[in-house]
Amino acid sequence: MRRSVSHRAPSRFRRLVAALVLIPVAAASTGDERITLNMRDADIHAVLQWMADATGKRIVIDPRVRGNVTILARDPMSPEEALRVVITAINVYGYTAIEQDGVMQIVPSANLKTGATQTLDALADPKADMPVNEVLKLDNLPAEQLATILRPLVPAYSNLAAVPGSNSLLITDTANNVQRIMRL
């Protein structure tokens, strides 16, 4: 009995610490809400719950999303900037955020291939870590040949495929990775 109580205490303690560390700080000069992210080993669910409250976003978390995150940011930022930092952090831990119809889904990155619904042009912030689908029309090289060359440059959870008959590539990855591939 004592073991189960002592086992739960650290988890509750981590959630409390994550909630206290993420307290919004009001900026005196502008009246805008500013957030300082300083979390060490914080429960990922507590962080995402807090981000939903701070940004007003609806966030649905896949049951396979588990663990703790560490995010250290010295300077205060807006809630939207903080959300982008949290999304970048969860990508490091093997999860991704898929936003569709006003709901942000947090899922394992392996689901990226089937969950990306936006195109790169549809994103307000083209440097986001949000998953996208992009079709690249090629003029100078066969798509099959370029797909073979580029495949090692994309993560295993991403998709890079030649589209037969149109000399195009279909890429499903995060927006910043798709932009990197396009620059090549």
Side-chain angles (χ1 to χ4, degrees), residues 135-138 143 161-164 166-170:
V135 177
L136 302 175
K137 180 79 172 126
L138 304 175
V163 180
S166 68
N167 202 38
S168 299
L169 288 176
L170 171 64

PDB file of all heavy atoms in Angstrom, residues 135-138 143 161-164 166-170:
ATOM      1  N   VAL A 135       2.706  18.531 -52.687  1.00  0.00           N
ATOM      2  CA  VAL A 135       3.011  17.911 -53.975  1.00  0.00           C
ATOM      3  C   VAL A 135       3.953  18.847 -54.715  1.00  0.00           C
ATOM      4  O   VAL A 135       3.646  20.024 -54.921  1.00  0.00           O
ATOM      5  CB  VAL A 135       1.731  17.672 -54.809  1.00  0.00           C
ATOM      6  CG1 VAL A 135       2.083  17.095 -56.171  1.00  0.00           C
ATOM      7  CG2 VAL A 135       0.782  16.753 -54.055  1.00  0.00           C
ATOM      8  N   LEU A 136       5.117  18.331 -55.091  1.00  0.00           N
ATOM      9  CA  LEU A 136       6.120  19.120 -55.812  1.00  0.00           C
ATOM     10  C   LEU A 136       6.184  18.658 -57.255  1.00  0.00           C
ATOM     11  O   LEU A 136       6.509  17.506 -57.536  1.00  0.00           O
ATOM     12  CB  LEU A 136       7.499  18.951 -55.166  1.00  0.00           C
ATOM     13  CG  LEU A 136       7.643  19.323 -53.704  1.00  0.00           C
ATOM     14  CD1 LEU A 136       9.035  18.990 -53.202  1.00  0.00           C
ATOM     15  CD2 LEU A 136       7.348  20.788 -53.521  1.00  0.00           C
ATOM     16  N   LYS A 137       5.844  19.542 -58.166  1.00  0.00           N
ATOM     17  CA  LYS A 137       5.928  19.250 -59.600  1.00  0.00           C
ATOM     18  C   LYS A 137       7.366  19.457 -60.045  1.00  0.00           C
ATOM     19  O   LYS A 137       7.968  20.489 -59.765  1.00  0.00           O
ATOM     20  CB  LYS A 137       4.986  20.183 -60.369  1.00  0.00           C
ATOM     21  CG  LYS A 137       4.979  19.973 -61.843  1.00  0.00           C
ATOM     22  CD  LYS A 137       4.128  18.786 -62.205  1.00  0.00           C
ATOM     23  CE  LYS A 137       3.988  18.717 -63.711  1.00  0.00           C
ATOM     24  NZ  LYS A 137       4.377  17.447 -64.241  1.00  0.00           N
ATOM     25  N   LEU A 138       7.940  18.471 -60.696  1.00  0.00           N
ATOM     26  CA  LEU A 138       9.336  18.518 -61.119  1.00  0.00           C
ATOM     27  C   LEU A 138       9.445  18.776 -62.612  1.00  0.00           C
ATOM     28  O   LEU A 138       8.634  18.285 -63.390  1.00  0.00           O
ATOM     29  CB  LEU A 138      10.040  17.213 -60.763  1.00  0.00           C
ATOM     30  CG  LEU A 138       9.975  16.808 -59.286  1.00  0.00           C
ATOM     31  CD1 LEU A 138      10.597  15.443 -59.092  1.00  0.00           C
ATOM     32  CD2 LEU A 138      10.659  17.841 -58.425  1.00  0.00           C
ATOM     33  N   ALA A 143      10.806  11.994 -61.139  1.00  0.00           N
ATOM     34  CA  ALA A 143      10.379  11.952 -59.742  1.00  0.00           C
ATOM     35  C   ALA A 143      10.903  10.705 -59.034  1.00  0.00           C
ATOM     36  O   ALA A 143      11.314  10.776 -57.867  1.00  0.00           O
ATOM     37  CB  ALA A 143       8.858  12.009 -59.664  1.00  0.00           C
ATOM     38  N   ALA A 161       7.153  10.082 -51.778  1.00  0.00           N
ATOM     39  CA  ALA A 161       6.827   9.132 -52.839  1.00  0.00           C
ATOM     40  C   ALA A 161       6.698   9.841 -54.177  1.00  0.00           C
ATOM     41  O   ALA A 161       6.231  10.984 -54.248  1.00  0.00           O
ATOM     42  CB  ALA A 161       5.517   8.420 -52.512  1.00  0.00           C
ATOM     43  N   ALA A 162       7.117   9.162 -55.215  1.00  0.00           N
ATOM     44  CA  ALA A 162       6.928   9.658 -56.577  1.00  0.00           C
ATOM     45  C   ALA A 162       5.490   9.376 -56.992  1.00  0.00           C
ATOM     46  O   ALA A 162       4.951   8.304 -56.702  1.00  0.00           O
ATOM     47  CB  ALA A 162       7.905   8.967 -57.516  1.00  0.00           C
ATOM     48  N   VAL A 163       4.868  10.348 -57.659  1.00  0.00           N
ATOM     49  CA  VAL A 163       3.501  10.177 -58.145  1.00  0.00           C
ATOM     50  C   VAL A 163       3.593   9.768 -59.618  1.00  0.00           C
ATOM     51  O   VAL A 163       4.027  10.563 -60.458  1.00  0.00           O
ATOM     52  CB  VAL A 163       2.673  11.487 -57.987  1.00  0.00           C
ATOM     53  CG1 VAL A 163       1.266  11.286 -58.502  1.00  0.00           C
ATOM     54  CG2 VAL A 163       2.686  11.953 -56.542  1.00  0.00           C
ATOM     55  N   PRO A 164       3.223   8.539 -59.929  1.00  0.00           N
ATOM     56  CA  PRO A 164       3.361   8.046 -61.303  1.00  0.00           C
ATOM     57  C   PRO A 164       2.548   8.881 -62.302  1.00  0.00           C
ATOM     58  O   PRO A 164       1.441   9.299 -62.026  1.00  0.00           O
ATOM     59  CB  PRO A 164       2.809   6.616 -61.237  1.00  0.00           C
ATOM     60  CG  PRO A 164       2.744   6.271 -59.800  1.00  0.00           C
ATOM     61  CD  PRO A 164       2.648   7.559 -59.049  1.00  0.00           C
ATOM     62  N   SER A 166       2.826  11.897 -63.354  1.00  0.00           N
ATOM     63  CA  SER A 166       2.772  13.362 -63.264  1.00  0.00           C
ATOM     64  C   SER A 166       4.132  13.984 -62.997  1.00  0.00           C
ATOM     65  O   SER A 166       4.239  15.203 -62.906  1.00  0.00           O
ATOM     66  CB  SER A 166       1.823  13.780 -62.138  1.00  0.00           C
ATOM     67  OG  SER A 166       2.361  13.423 -60.880  1.00  0.00           O
ATOM     68  N   ASN A 167       5.160  13.158 -62.860  1.00  0.00           N
ATOM     69  CA  ASN A 167       6.503  13.618 -62.523  1.00  0.00           C
ATOM     70  C   ASN A 167       6.482  14.564 -61.319  1.00  0.00           C
ATOM     71  O   ASN A 167       7.017  15.662 -61.346  1.00  0.00           O
ATOM     72  CB  ASN A 167       7.209  14.279 -63.716  1.00  0.00           C
ATOM     73  CG  ASN A 167       8.715  14.258 -63.524  1.00  0.00           C
ATOM     74  OD1 ASN A 167       9.271  13.287 -63.012  1.00  0.00           O
ATOM     75  ND2 ASN A 167       9.375  15.323 -63.911  1.00  0.00           N
ATOM     76  N   SER A 168       5.823  14.112 -60.256  1.00  0.00           N
ATOM     77  CA  SER A 168       5.693  14.890 -59.021  1.00  0.00           C
ATOM     78  C   SER A 168       6.101  14.035 -57.832  1.00  0.00           C
ATOM     79  O   SER A 168       6.097  12.814 -57.890  1.00  0.00           O
ATOM     80  CB  SER A 168       4.244  15.335 -58.820  1.00  0.00           C
ATOM     81  OG  SER A 168       3.825  16.141 -59.883  1.00  0.00           O
ATOM     82  N   LEU A 169       6.438  14.748 -56.742  1.00  0.00           N
ATOM     83  CA  LEU A 169       6.724  14.097 -55.470  1.00  0.00           C
ATOM     84  C   LEU A 169       5.650  14.466 -54.472  1.00  0.00           C
ATOM     85  O   LEU A 169       5.235  15.630 -54.405  1.00  0.00           O
ATOM     86  CB  LEU A 169       8.074  14.560 -54.903  1.00  0.00           C
ATOM     87  CG  LEU A 169       9.345  14.087 -55.575  1.00  0.00           C
ATOM     88  CD1 LEU A 169      10.555  14.746 -54.906  1.00  0.00           C
ATOM     89  CD2 LEU A 169       9.467  12.585 -55.495  1.00  0.00           C
ATOM     90  N   LEU A 170       5.214  13.498 -53.689  1.00  0.00           N
ATOM     91  CA  LEU A 170       4.299  13.745 -52.576  1.00  0.00           C
ATOM     92  C   LEU A 170       5.115  13.607 -51.300  1.00  0.00           C
ATOM     93  O   LEU A 170       5.737  12.571 -51.067  1.00  0.00           O
ATOM     94  CB  LEU A 170       3.143  12.743 -52.572  1.00  0.00           C
ATOM     95  CG  LEU A 170       2.245  12.777 -51.339  1.00  0.00           C
ATOM     96  CD1 LEU A 170       1.511  14.122 -51.230  1.00  0.00           C
ATOM     97  CD2 LEU A 170       1.261  11.640 -51.362  1.00  0.00           C
TER      98      LEU A 170
END
